[in-house]
Each structure stands twice: as C-alpha cells, then as structure tokens.
Amino acid sequence: MDCRLPAQPPLPSGLYTCTAQGIWKNELVGEKMPRCLPVCGKPVHPVEQRQRIIGGLKAKLGNFPWQAYTNIHGPGGGALLGDRWILTAAQGSPNLDVFLGHINVEDITKLSNHPVRRVIIHPDYRQEESHNFEGDIALLELENSVTLGPNLLPICLPDNETLYDPGLMGYVSGFGIMEERISHNLRFVRLPVAKREICERWLRQKNRNDVFSENMFCAGNPATRQDSCQGDSGGVFAVSDKKNDRWVATGIVSWGIGCGEGYGFYTNVLKYVDWIKKVMEVED
C-alpha cells in the first residue's frame, strides 16, 4: 500500500512498511504509530474521460473505487475517505448499512456489510426545514478499517477554489434512479459546474424558495437532461485534479427539482474541509 508518513522526530533505522491494518511496522522495533493512511484519489482503472455521456453510463470495476452504497430508507451513496470514514449527506445518514467494493447492487450487498461506529452530522443541518439543505454533510466512522485494493480506494478532499470553476467537468456516480427505477448497477454522468447566477435565475423562474447558500454549488446543463437523482443522494461530485494527478470530492449530491430537468445542487466540500479533518482526527 502506498502511504505517506507525517512529519515526526527521526525514527530508529531500518525500513518501515505499511501493513494492511494501517500500522507502520519495522522489523527492528516492531509496530510504531502514527497510523499509516492510504494515498487518495488514485484509481487503478480511472473512468475514460473522452466519452460523451447521454443520460449516464454503466461504470466499470475500479472507475469509482471510493463509491459507497448505503441503504435504509431507500438507496443512497457516499465516498470513502482514508480507510475507515465515509463522506455522505446528512439527510438519511443515521443507522446506515454501508457496502463497498463493487458496481452491482446484488454483488455489493453480498460482500460484508461495514458496521458504522459513529455518525457525525454537521451542526448546521436542519432536518425539519424542507427547503433548507444547509450543512447537508455527514461523516460515518466505520467500526473497522477496510482492506483496500483496486476496487476499494479513497478519494481526496479539495484544497483550492479552482476546482469549482464554471465549466469544469465532474463525475457523479451512484445506484440512483434511472428511467423511473432504481439502477442495479453503478452508473455515472459527467456534468459541468454551472455559474451561480444562472442557477439562481433558474430557481427564481421556478418560483422556488430553496436556500442556495455560498456553501453549495450547482452543476448540470438542462439541454442534456443529465442529472443526479434521489438514489444518488450522499454520493460525491468527483473532479480530476490534473495539476496534482488525483481525484477530488468537491461536492456531495444534496438536492434538486425533479430528475434531469435542470440543475443539481451540491454541498461544497471545500467549505467543510476544516470540520471534516477535525472530526477525523478525534479518536473516540
């Protein structure tokens, strides 16, 4: 496993290797903390970016190795961070079943269910306010670290505003609704980040009073009828960060009006990176 060791005082001589359990091990002195965390955003089989996608395509194994499938009040999504955290939406996140490592619903649910140890919902989220998805972000800490491989790898967190430039293409993957029914296979669409003013104008034309705050962004193009849908909620908007050669979760599928009828609205992950890191650092 490719790992990065955080800066720390000089260690005893000898080679340190990262075990599958996420521990640095040295033949001379045994196990040594800190935890070894996997490098993120490096799929072994990245999605082909030349494709023009109409209404979504089936994903291949390894295209979106961070994809989580959740199921309680219907299907939802999420993304693996590190080796024991799931990034998802706050809506519907308590008491989840979490499945990882495959692109077919039947196959993924046959793999082991990953029990959730803790659910941390952002304090700004207000479940009772139906037109307000502010703070629609949650972290699920898994009971156990997962064993990583070509079909199960984490995605990176964003670190700069350029990943949100209008026109930048991102990928949304999920087991969501496709032609009025749940898809049994992981599918994906390629969507452009849209200009905020255009989405604000579109909402006004629809006479909507939904909150579209600075902690959200919108994506899509009404002309293509491509969108994320209800069953994709909690999945991520993944962007290829060419400069750093890695994939980044810039957004979380949050809300929209209908399916494929206009723009989709996403939690802006960059606005919550400090909160995410703080939660993940706390050992409970």
Side-chain angles (χ1 to χ4, degrees):
M1 192 192 299
D2 186 8
C3 290
R4 296 186 183 125
L5 184 62
Q8 58 176 17
L11 295 168
S13 61
L15 181 66
Y16 275 79
T17 55
C18 177
T19 68
Q21 290 74 36
I23 298 168
W24 290 100
K25 195 170 181 72
N26 179 289
E27 291 302 320
L28 299 176
V29 296
E31 294 176 354
K32 182 87 177 177
M33 295 305 275
R35 280 169 58 84
C36 159
L37 291 177
V39 169
C40 60
K42 300 277 191 181
V44 179
H45 306 291
V47 65
E48 288 287 333
Q49 296 184 70
R50 295 186 300 275
Q51 293 159 327
R52 182 168 179 266
I53 302 156
I54 303 297
L57 282 181
K58 274 188 189 180
K60 295 174 183 171
L61 261 177
N63 283 171
F64 304 98
W66 47 80
Q67 179 75 42
Y69 173 71
T70 61
N71 200 353
I72 178 166
H73 304 302
L80 183 68
L81 297 179
D83 60 358
R84 63 190 176 112
W85 290 92
I86 303 295
L87 177 68
T88 188
Q91 46 183 305
S93 54
N95 308 315
L96 286 169
D97 289 326
V98 174
F99 302 92
L100 296 157
H102 214 284
I103 53 171
N104 175 276
V105 170
E106 287 180 10
D107 291 333
I108 205 171
T109 50
K110 283 175 191 168
L111 297 172
S112 61
N113 178 11
H114 297 278
V116 175
R117 183 185 178 210
R118 284 193 297 157
V119 177
I120 301 99
I121 294 172
H122 195 276
D124 290 348
Y125 182 65
R126 299 285 177 267
Q127 188 173 2
E128 67 281 1
E129 297 179 20
S130 59
H131 293 286
N132 183 4
F133 288 89
E134 185 75 13
D136 189 12
I137 181 171
L139 287 165
L140 314 178
E141 183 183 15
L142 302 179
E143 202 67 66
N144 305 299
S145 297
V146 298
T147 303
L148 302 175
N151 304 325
L152 183 53
L153 293 167
I155 194 167
C156 302
L157 292 171
D159 60 4
N160 70 86
E161 293 279 356
T162 64
L163 297 167
Y164 296 84
D165 288 346
L168 191 69
M169 302 301 288
Y171 289 80
V172 179
S173 53
F175 298 91
I177 292 173
M178 168 85 182
E179 295 163 358
E180 302 303 317
R181 65 179 185 273
I182 300 297
S183 170
H184 288 283
N185 298 294
L186 183 64
R187 303 185 76 89
F188 66 94
V189 289
R190 187 169 176 243
L191 303 167
V193 175
K195 287 185 178 175
R196 175 169 287 273
E197 315 83 73
I198 292 174
C199 292
E200 286 171 343
R201 194 182 316 138
W202 183 76
L203 283 171
R204 283 198 299 273
Q205 288 168 353
K206 297 273 184 185
N207 293 317
R208 302 288 296 208
N209 61 349
D210 304 84
V211 175
F212 180 29
S213 79
E214 291 296 323
N215 295 321
M216 306 168 188
F217 70 93
C218 57
N221 180 346
T224 63
R225 293 190 60 80
Q226 298 177 144
D227 197 5
S228 49
C229 279
Q230 292 97 314
D232 300 319
S233 179
V236 295
F237 189 90
V239 168
S240 176
D241 179 1
K242 300 279 194 302
K243 198 169 95 174
N244 297 303
D245 187 29
R246 61 185 193 156
W247 286 78
V248 177
T250 58
I252 301 170
V253 178
S254 182
W255 60 280
I257 303 166
C259 268
E261 295 174 18
Y263 299 95
F265 295 81
Y266 300 80
T267 303
N268 183 327
V269 176
L270 184 61
K271 304 284 187 181
Y272 297 95
V273 164
D274 289 345
W275 176 79
I276 292 168
K277 288 181 176 176
K278 189 175 172 186
V279 169
M280 289 172 65
E281 281 167 8
V282 174
E283 291 290 338
D284 190 19

